[in-house]
Amino acid sequence: MQQGAAQNKIRQAAEEAFFRDGIRAVTMDELARRLGMSKRTLYQHFDSKRALLREVLLGRTRHIDQVLRDATARQYGDFAEKLRVVLKRLAQALPQPSQRFFRDLRGGAPEVWQELVQERERILSSHFRRLLQEGRQQHALREDLSTDLILRIFLSMVQGLITPQVLAELPLSAGQVLDRIVAVLMTGILTPGRDGKGEKRQLTGENDA
């Protein structure tokens, strides 16, 4: 088996095991047995479990980069439709590990997560800045909100909520959290037909009697 193919096979098996069982429960011995190879061969490709974990997470990030690249390159009926599709593709591309995985990541490999956060911000900033600029050109965005501000709000919500701490505590996947972020960003937090005082707005345009 060629080196690249072997590394992909190892990464896929490790991702499945890490995401399902958590990081601490997975050993290099177990992975080697599952892959039908010696531990020595496994260590020739990845010199530690932490190095393998890093490759799993960065590999997922590279996948998200390609998903966003493909989604933003396509043409849609209008900007609102394109934005919805791109965000849906992003949510689908996010991994769905167990809460145990995020608890282990928070306590055992914070520097790996920090590297992932930096790479994720770079990718999201690049794709969504271009997407928002496209929306600006189509006059689909509010004039009183700058592109930079919208982008910063979105990134702050993603970076603040899609974290090991939050995902270890909430009964939601990363994709589900992103869905909530998008809902708040696109429609706000008020129920339809209510203003900031909790009073029903008139939708008919008629004056009060």
Side-chain angles (χ1 to χ4, degrees):
M1 184 182 297
Q2 295 182 347
Q3 183 175 2
Q7 288 181 345
N8 285 335
K9 183 178 179 181
I10 293 168
R11 185 173 60 246
Q12 290 172 1
E15 178 177 307
E16 179 183 347
F18 285 147
F19 287 2
R20 183 187 63 242
D21 302 326
I23 301 168
R24 295 180 182 176
V26 178
T27 67
M28 297 294 270
D29 283 332
E30 177 190 349
L31 279 174
R33 286 195 300 271
R34 185 174 302 182
L35 289 162
M37 64 176 59
S38 68
K39 189 165 69 170
R40 178 179 179 181
T41 301
L42 179 57
Y43 275 110
Q44 287 176 346
H45 293 287
F46 297 97
D47 60 10
S48 67
K49 186 169 75 170
R50 182 156 302 194
L52 181 52
L53 171 66
R54 176 180 178 275
E55 180 57 29
V56 164
L57 292 178
L58 291 180
R60 271 288 183 161
T61 305
R62 289 192 294 270
H63 171 65
I64 290 171
D65 187 16
Q66 188 59 53
V67 167
L68 290 175
R69 193 181 306 277
D70 293 342
T72 55
R74 296 185 181 185
Q75 298 299 317
Y76 299 86
D78 58 24
F79 176 75
E81 179 186 358
K82 182 170 186 175
L83 181 60
R84 284 193 296 269
V85 171
V86 170
L87 290 169
K88 181 179 179 180
R89 296 287 185 272
L90 174 58
Q92 292 171 340
L94 291 173
Q96 299 186 27
S98 64
Q99 288 182 308
R100 181 182 302 174
F101 171 85
F102 285 112
R103 287 195 295 268
D104 291 349
L105 183 60
R106 176 180 59 184
E111 76 287 351
V112 176
W113 176 257
Q114 187 57 41
E115 182 179 2
L116 180 67
V117 166
Q118 293 172 355
E119 183 65 7
R120 184 175 66 184
E121 181 168 354
R122 182 190 68 79
I123 290 171
L124 292 179
S125 294
S126 174
H127 291 295
F128 278 91
R129 183 177 296 280
R130 287 197 299 270
L131 184 61
L132 291 172
Q133 288 170 345
E134 182 178 332
R136 185 70 68 192
Q137 292 170 356
Q138 296 179 22
H139 305 286
L141 301 178
R142 285 174 47 171
E143 293 294 335
D144 60 329
L145 297 176
S146 70
T147 300
D148 282 343
L149 179 58
I150 297 172
L151 181 61
R152 286 176 181 273
I153 290 171
F154 175 68
L155 291 176
S156 295
M157 295 173 77
V158 169
Q159 302 293 51
L161 291 175
I162 301 181
T163 69
Q165 291 88 340
V166 173
L167 294 172
E169 297 168 359
L170 292 179
L172 299 171
S173 68
Q176 290 170 327
V177 172
L178 179 63
D179 284 340
R180 273 69 172 175
I181 291 172
V182 171
V184 170
L185 189 63
M186 299 292 287
T187 64
I189 63 172
L190 299 180
T191 57
R194 291 185 177 274
D195 62 17
K197 298 178 181 178
E199 300 173 349
K200 289 187 177 180
R201 292 196 305 264
Q202 283 192 296
L203 301 180
T204 63
E206 298 175 355
N207 293 329
D208 292 338

